Each structure stands twice: as structure tokens, then as C-alpha cells.
Amino acid sequence: MKEKKLGINKYILLSVLVLFIISLIGVTSVLARYIDTNKASSSIYAEDFIFVCNYEDGKTYHVYYDETKITTSIRNYIGAYRNESDITGTITVNKLDSLGTATLVVKDNFTLSKDLNDHQEIESNIGALVAGEKYQLVVETTVPYKKVIKAELVVMTPEAASYYSITDKGTYVELEINIGAVIPTDDIRINFGALIPDTTNEYMSSWTATSGYGIIEKEDLTANSTIILIFLETMTVEYSNITNANLTDTISINVM
């Protein structure tokens, strides 16, 4: 009888082991998909790496001929989430000739501290700009992960219009507002619905998730500037992407 009882226990143990292995495979698969999804983002990749920049890889931005420097905005947090380690890297500005050949203009180093919500405005001095010139800006992190963002900068005349873009990043939505030489005469209302505004951003510090909208007052707008606003997603839905739409006094972030 003892041998029979021992045999039954062996089968039970084997069954539990098989179920445990199957469960472990399932959890590992879900985790792998989560990390892979975050790697697809231009601002966040890998579960513990948070890096936000006002430039996006592969996009073209406009600067104005009366500027003498390029400002790059970087930070190590989104909302209440902050990167767990220091982030170090470089910001490089290259001038492009008619063939697209890059010549180094200036290179700056940066470090974002893990001990605080670190938001830095890096000013790259490039001298006098001429309308029609093109530059390449390269933001590269080296620690704790290597990430490269390359954007093209086109020098424009002051008459360039104001515009905005909306991009669904998967876990959050990014709204980019570009103010031209003429500052809008009205406040800008942002309708964001069920999204959660990043209240660590100075423009959204008083906004609430329950209101569904926020206001950027005209007095807070600056000519020839770019504003980046981030909204965290709460639902598994896709939001409509908009590229370089003419700026109006109302911007709505809509579900597709």
C-alpha cells in the first residue's frame, strides 16, 4: 500500500511541475511583449528607461534665421515615473551641405540625475543662420542604454506659420505645438478627453484628468518656440495622428 501511495504522489508532483512550467512560459511571454512594445517608442524603451526629448527621430523641424542657438529639451521622467539610473549622453549639431554631407558645428555633453526629476534645456551655440540652410541635430544617450535621435533642422524666414502635430506613442500621446514668428492672439484650448495630462510640465501644472481639457494662455506663448505636451493613456485604444496641422485656438485629441 505504501508503494501505491508514493506512486500517486509522484504523479501529483509531476502534474504540478508541468502546470508551473506552463505558467512560467506564459508570464515570460507577456513580459517579453511588454518590453518589446516599450522598445518601439521614441521616448521610452525597456521597462526601466525613461528619456524624453523635444525632437523625434527622423522628423524635420524649423528654426528661424535670427536665432543663434538651438535649444534641446530633455528629461528623465513622465508624470510620476522617473528613470532609475543616471542618463548620460551628447547633443551634436552638424551643418549639411547641398549633398547632405555633415560638418560638425558644436557638441555638448549632458547628465540627467537619477535622484530628481531632471529637466534640462541644452543650448547649442551655432552662430548666425541663413534662410535655406539645413542642419542635423543628433541626441545620443550612452548610459544606461544607447539611443540615437536624429532630426533635420531647416532654417526658415520669420513668416513661417504656427502648426501642431499629435502622435500616439502606444502608452501615451504626444502633442507638439510649434509657434511661428507671430504669437497667436487667443488662448489655446486642448481637449484631451480620457487621457491623463503630465502635470510635471509647467504648461499643464494646474490641469486635471477629470476636466478633459486644459488651456494654454496666450501670455505664456513665445514666438519661434516649440511646446511638447504628454498625455498618459488609460484605455487600450488608438488616437488619431495629425502632422503639421495649422494651429487654431482649439486642439482636440480624438480616438480613431
Side-chain angles (χ1 to χ4, degrees):
M1 294 295 292
K2 289 183 179 178
E3 289 182 359
K4 186 176 180 181
K5 186 176 181 180
L6 182 61
I8 292 173
N9 288 338
K10 283 182 178 179
Y11 286 122
I12 293 173
L13 179 60
L14 181 59
S15 299
V16 171
L17 252 160
V18 170
L19 288 173
F20 174 75
I21 291 171
I22 291 172
S23 299
L24 184 61
I25 291 172
V27 172
T28 303
S29 176
V30 171
L31 179 60
R33 288 199 301 272
Y34 171 75
I35 293 176
D36 184 62
T37 297
N38 277 317
K39 282 184 177 180
S41 168
S42 67
S43 294
I44 309 174
Y45 75 93
E47 189 174 2
D48 62 346
F49 184 52
I50 300 176
F51 178 74
V52 180
C53 177
N54 62 324
Y55 294 102
E56 186 173 347
D57 187 49
K59 289 190 66 175
T60 298
Y61 297 86
H62 299 130
V63 294
Y64 298 89
Y65 74 88
D66 55 348
E67 296 288 331
T68 59
K69 56 193 175 185
I70 301 297
T71 301
T72 304
S73 175
I74 55 174
R75 56 189 170 107
N76 63 347
Y77 62 93
I78 292 180
Y81 302 97
R82 183 171 70 231
N83 200 66
E84 297 177 353
S85 59
D86 291 347
I87 301 175
T88 62
T90 59
I91 297 174
T92 304
V93 179
N94 302 309
K95 187 173 182 179
L96 303 175
D97 63 17
S98 59
L99 299 177
T101 304
T103 302
L104 176 65
V105 176
V106 63
K107 185 174 185 178
D108 298 294
N109 299 315
F110 67 83
T111 299
L112 296 173
S113 174
K114 65 180 179 180
D115 298 322
L116 70 156
N117 287 356
D118 201 349
H119 181 189
Q120 298 184 21
E121 303 283 337
I122 310 296
E123 295 183 345
S124 301
N125 294 307
I126 56 176
L129 297 176
V130 177
E133 287 182 335
K134 292 183 179 181
Y135 291 79
Q136 179 192 62
L137 183 137
V138 182
V139 181
E140 181 175 357
T141 65
T142 53
V143 175
Y145 297 100
K146 182 179 177 64
K147 177 177 179 62
V148 180
I149 298 173
K150 292 184 179 181
E152 185 175 279
L153 309 176
V154 179
V155 182
M156 304 291 290
T157 59
E159 289 75 22
S162 299
Y163 58 93
Y164 72 95
S165 298
I166 298 173
T167 308
D168 187 339
K169 301 286 189 174
T171 55
Y172 65 96
V173 174
E174 180 181 275
L175 169 61
E176 176 185 311
I177 302 174
N178 290 276
I179 306 298
V182 179
I183 299 175
T185 57
D186 297 316
D187 297 339
I188 301 175
R189 176 187 171 111
I190 314 297
N191 296 321
F192 52 81
L195 293 165
I196 300 176
D198 174 15
T199 54
T200 59
N201 186 307
E202 61 180 343
Y203 291 101
M204 299 190 286
S205 60
S206 62
W207 297 9
T208 62
T210 55
S211 68
Y213 76 95
I215 301 292
I216 299 179
E217 297 182 356
K218 58 186 178 182
E219 290 80 11
D220 294 329
L221 300 175
T222 304
N224 302 335
S225 65
T226 300
I227 299 171
I228 301 291
L229 305 180
I230 289 177
F231 302 85
L232 302 179
E233 296 187 12
T234 59
M235 304 182 296
T236 54
V237 297
E238 292 186 17
Y239 289 84
S240 299
N241 293 322
I242 297 175
T243 303
N244 296 346
N246 290 331
L247 183 62
T248 61
D249 58 5
T250 301
I251 299 174
S252 296
I253 304 175
N254 298 317
V255 176
M256 290 184 64

